[in-house]
Structure formats: structure tokens, C-alpha cells
Amino acid sequence: MNITKEDKGNLTTLIKVEISPEDYQEEVKKQLKEQQKNANVKGFRKGKVPYGLIEKWYGQSVRLDQINKLLSEKLTNYIQE
């Protein structure tokens, strides 16, 4: 993750945040594995739904949640420092 600050004027600052997939990918996989354990889908035993199916259904929403969580956490820490 790369955070840069650029002053634009007396009261204006531009903060740029670059997030790479390595920053959030591990947490996304962990959340999807947790979804897989708790999934109750017709045609599969509880917890036995294939990972690919879980990733297809929930992957994008879990990824966006983790990116938003990471972004807000790091940006808040950067501003406080």
C-alpha cells in the first residue's frame, strides 16, 4: 500500500492511496473460506460447497468489503499521524 500527500493550496490537500491485490487478497481468501464452512446450499452438504462456487457468488462483495475496511483503516491511521 502506498499513500502520498500532495498540498494543493492553503486549505487543500490531495491524498492518493494505491492498493495492490497483495494487501487484501489473504483476508479475502480467509473470509471466503469462512463463508464456505457456513454455506448451506441445496445439493451440497453443509460446509461442503466448492470454493469456486462460493468465490463466484460472494467473491466480489467480500473483496469490496475488505478493500473498504483496509482503506478506511490505513487512511485514518495516516491522517492521525
Side-chain angles (χ1 to χ4, degrees), residues 17-74:
V17 180
E18 293 179 23
I19 300 175
S20 64
E22 294 83 31
D23 295 331
Y24 60 85
Q25 197 65 26
E26 185 176 322
E27 190 64 32
V28 169
K29 286 182 182 179
K30 190 185 302 181
Q31 290 291 325
L32 288 174
K33 289 286 187 182
E34 189 66 31
Q35 286 280 346
Q36 184 182 16
K37 289 178 186 176
N38 297 325
N40 191 7
V41 178
K42 188 174 182 179
F44 297 100
R45 292 179 301 189
K46 183 175 178 169
K48 300 296 182 183
V49 180
Y51 180 80
L53 198 56
I54 296 293
E55 186 175 25
K56 182 179 176 182
W57 287 343
Y58 303 113
Q60 188 166 0
S61 65
V62 170
R63 190 174 304 111
L64 290 175
D65 287 343
Q66 289 304 318
I67 290 172
N68 285 334
K69 180 181 171 185
L70 179 69
L71 180 63
S72 69
E73 195 176 279
K74 297 294 183 178

